[in-house]
Amino acid sequence: MTTFLLSLLSDASIYLGLPLGLWISFRVLAYPDLSVEYLFVLGGVGYALAVTSGWGLPVLVVGLVLASALLGAVCSLIRNRFGVHPVLISLAFAYIYYSVSLALLGGPSRYVGASAPPPSDAFAAVFAAALFGFILVVLVLLARTNAGLKVIAAGSNADLAARHQLTPIVWQGIGLAVSFFLVMVSGALYAWRAGNVDVSYGNGLLLISIFVVVVTRAANTRINMAKNGLLLATFLLGYLGLLQASLLFGLPPQWLRGVSATFLLLLVLVVPKRRGRLLVI
């Protein structure tokens, strides 16, 4: 039981950046990012390169920040300047991330445990929870500033953005950069705990992230960073716990994604009063 709980807490803490990042892009910026699985892997690739090249943690953090800023700016430019739908943008970038990850790794996987031994589940859970807790506090504070309100307005309130003459390319780009950074941090943390990187690590994580974001949307329709952050963490923990418990009770691993998809459909069916609003941006 202790091993199960530690593994569950470690998974939930490390994966938290995925639904949190997707919530920002999906709910705040009206940008359904379908590339999170491959962006997650790209974060892990960044960690692998930093470790095996001896660059260290500061270079990794700076690299993730710069990469997120660049991707946010490019995606916002394509969306707002050329009018390309976010779904098409995110699908295209998903394959770009996959190809870049393969090229940087020099193959489908790379072992990095010799350069940086993986931590225990307990330490990984505490570290990841503390890191994302700190990031969430910073985001809550930033959301209340003038810049944070501009990001929210540019993404979810076109009339307000036009009234205040906000530039969507700039403010949506900043919001997307934050979203991408959170997802890549999750990928880096996962690679750190696993001691290796594989381009298939992200498989299935989009479904989990969408499920958690949709549940949070059903529970709270307001854009409130603090409340939604806590809800995302709670629902992610419960969802992962349900999946892990299913495996313990004999569910074959090959059925895991099918069960996950069934959970998502059942969610829509059991909340008929909000069925029409669950996936509304």
Side-chain angles (χ1 to χ4, degrees), residues 4-279:
F4 171 80
L5 290 176
L6 286 176
S7 177
L8 174 60
L9 290 173
S10 178
D11 284 345
S13 299
I14 287 174
Y15 287 144
L16 181 57
L18 279 146
L20 185 56
L22 185 61
W23 181 83
I24 292 174
S25 63
F26 181 84
R27 180 71 181 94
V28 179
L29 301 171
Y31 185 98
D33 186 13
L34 304 181
S35 68
V36 292
E37 292 181 342
Y38 299 101
L39 193 59
F40 175 86
V41 173
L42 192 59
V45 172
Y47 170 79
L49 294 177
V51 168
T52 55
S53 302
W55 295 338
L57 183 60
V59 174
L60 172 62
V61 174
V62 171
L64 293 181
V65 170
L66 293 178
S68 301
L70 176 62
L71 292 172
V74 172
C75 291
S76 182
L77 177 66
I78 295 174
R79 178 190 192 183
N80 292 286
R81 178 66 179 84
F82 301 102
V84 181
H85 196 282
V87 170
L88 179 58
I89 298 173
S90 62
L91 286 175
F93 270 84
Y95 289 103
I96 292 173
Y97 299 151
Y98 179 79
S99 296
V100 170
S101 296
L102 275 175
L104 292 176
L105 286 178
S109 63
R110 179 183 294 188
Y111 176 71
V112 296
S115 302
S120 64
D121 282 340
F123 183 78
V126 171
F127 181 83
L131 177 61
F132 280 121
F134 172 76
I135 291 176
L136 183 58
V137 169
V138 172
L139 290 177
V140 169
L141 295 176
L142 289 177
R144 298 174 180 174
T145 66
N146 189 42
L149 293 175
K150 287 181 178 179
V151 171
I152 295 172
S156 59
N157 194 326
D159 293 335
L160 183 61
R163 192 180 311 135
H164 291 275
Q165 297 182 332
L166 301 180
T167 307
I169 291 179
V170 174
W171 296 106
Q172 288 183 22
I174 294 173
L176 287 174
V178 173
S179 170
F180 296 161
F181 177 76
L182 289 168
V183 175
M184 286 199 286
V185 167
S186 271
L189 287 172
Y190 188 88
W192 167 60
R193 188 191 64 173
N196 63 85
V197 184
D198 192 290
V199 292
S200 66
Y201 272 167
N203 292 350
L205 294 181
L206 174 61
L207 181 62
I208 293 176
S209 300
I210 289 177
F211 180 90
V212 174
V213 169
V214 169
V215 176
T216 302
R217 168 67 173 161
N220 183 41
T221 57
R222 295 185 60 188
I223 297 179
N224 182 300
M225 185 63 69
K227 184 174 182 180
N228 281 286
L230 294 175
L231 286 173
L232 287 168
T234 301
F235 291 135
L236 176 62
L237 183 63
Y239 186 68
L240 291 176
L242 188 60
L243 292 182
Q244 289 199 18
S246 300
L247 291 175
L248 286 178
F249 282 101
L251 177 72
Q254 60 266 30
W255 285 100
L256 198 56
R257 293 189 195 178
V259 171
S260 298
T262 303
F263 286 161
L264 179 58
L265 292 175
L266 287 176
L267 169 67
V268 180
L269 295 176
V270 299
V271 282
K273 292 183 179 180
R274 299 198 177 193
R275 185 179 306 160
R277 299 191 301 176
L278 284 178
L279 292 176

